[in-house]
Amino acid sequence: FTDCLYLFEIIFSITSRSEDQIMSRKHYIQAAKIIADQIEFTKQFNDGKIEQHRIAATIQIARDLADMFKRENAQFDRDRFLTACNVQA
């Protein structure tokens, strides 16, 4: 749960930063780790549809972030990010 809140903090900071603030590799790695950890944590308690929906939502967040990162940075490797998130590209 804490990781989930931290993920939302990261998303907020990404979307509210100014044009001159650029994300670094460190930020991408940190975001991918949080997403992968959240997916793994949710899988551990997978006993019904609610968990499946949480996993699906987290995967969609990862894909949406990857698309946004790619739009903002031509050098960003979308597939590598999603792999780090434990999400199929």
Side-chain angles (χ1 to χ4, degrees), residues 13-65:
S13 67
I14 290 167
T15 57
S16 63
R17 71 188 192 288
S18 65
E19 289 292 320
D20 61 337
Q21 293 175 316
I22 298 172
M23 285 188 59
S24 69
R25 184 173 187 265
K26 176 182 81 171
H27 295 110
Y28 297 134
I29 291 170
Q30 188 177 30
K33 181 178 180 343
I34 291 167
I35 291 168
D37 289 350
Q38 185 62 35
I39 290 170
E40 190 57 38
F41 176 80
T42 304
K43 284 180 179 179
Q44 290 177 9
F45 299 99
N46 185 10
D47 61 357
K49 286 189 175 191
I50 292 174
E51 287 78 9
Q52 290 300 320
H53 289 294
R54 287 181 182 154
I55 291 169
T58 305
I59 288 170
Q60 188 58 51
I61 288 169
R63 290 183 176 143
D64 291 345
L65 285 173

Side-chain angles (χ1 to χ4, degrees), residues 58-76:
T58 305
I59 288 170
Q60 188 58 51
I61 288 169
R63 290 183 176 143
D64 291 345
L65 285 173
D67 291 341
M68 182 180 75
F69 295 158
K70 183 65 176 176
R71 281 191 304 273
E72 293 183 356
N73 180 352
Q75 300 295 321
F76 179 77

